[in-house]
Amino acid sequence: MLTISAKVSYGLAAVFDLAQNYNGDPVQIKTISENQDIPQQYLEQLMIKLKQSGIVKSFRGASGGYILIKDPAEITVYEIILCFEGPIELINTSCKSEVLKNFWTKTENDIRKYFQVTIQELILEQKRFLNRIEYSI
């Protein structure tokens, strides 16, 4: 079973939150924490990792906070996974059969491709979802 860690899930939620304010003022960590229901101390640790990976930038001071360095259309879910967990690799897939080796290699590649969705695509999906809710009321 492929398991997505809390770090990846919360990190993606934080990036998604920042992406909704892309090109705006920095967003304070408290705001992200409240918007995405992420414990603030845990989020602080995640933001350091995102900063080290070149995804976000921080600003100090009363009006400080975080912004995305990259355009949301250039950030993929896989990049967030790489930031927190490293490359997706299936474990214990060694075998003598070339057919099975090829199967596992293809499976790993397919999983990576699935996570190539961009943050911008997720934002557009949310907008479509919110529009459906508004029309059905």
Side-chain angles (χ1 to χ4, degrees):
M1 171 172 62
L2 178 65
T3 303
I4 301 298
S5 69
K7 290 185 286 189
V8 170
S9 179
Y10 285 155
L12 178 59
V15 169
F16 184 76
D17 196 84
L18 289 172
Q20 294 178 76
N21 190 50
Y22 186 64
N23 288 329
D25 293 329
V27 181
Q28 293 185 342
I29 206 157
K30 180 181 179 186
T31 303
I32 300 167
S33 173
E34 290 171 356
N35 288 348
Q36 299 299 323
D37 199 24
I38 304 170
Q40 189 169 333
Q41 287 183 327
Y42 191 57
L43 180 58
E44 289 169 358
Q45 296 170 22
L46 299 177
M47 297 308 282
I48 291 168
K49 193 80 168 153
L50 289 166
K51 185 177 175 182
Q52 291 170 343
S53 295
I55 297 171
V56 302
K57 181 177 180 179
S58 65
F59 295 89
R60 293 179 177 240
S63 61
Y66 288 87
I67 62 166
L68 289 180
I69 294 175
K70 294 175 155 184
D71 186 310
E74 297 174 4
I75 304 170
T76 65
V77 172
Y78 190 63
E79 187 174 353
I80 305 303
I81 293 170
L82 286 173
C83 171
F84 293 107
E85 299 295 335
I88 293 174
E89 296 175 345
L90 301 177
I91 59 171
N92 297 326
T93 59
S94 60
C95 54
K96 290 184 179 182
S97 169
E98 286 300 314
V99 170
L100 292 179
K101 283 180 190 177
N102 288 337
F103 168 78
W104 289 119
T105 300
K106 182 182 179 318
T107 301
E108 283 180 351
N109 291 335
D110 288 347
I111 291 169
R112 284 186 201 104
K113 285 178 191 174
Y114 184 79
F115 289 116
Q116 290 302 318
V117 63
T118 68
I119 303 302
Q120 183 63 39
E121 290 171 310
L122 295 174
I123 289 172
L124 292 173
E125 181 64 26
Q126 180 181 9
K127 288 178 181 177
R128 285 190 291 270
F129 177 77
L130 292 174
N131 284 338
R132 283 194 305 255
I133 290 174
E134 288 176 13
Y135 291 124
S136 58
I137 292 178

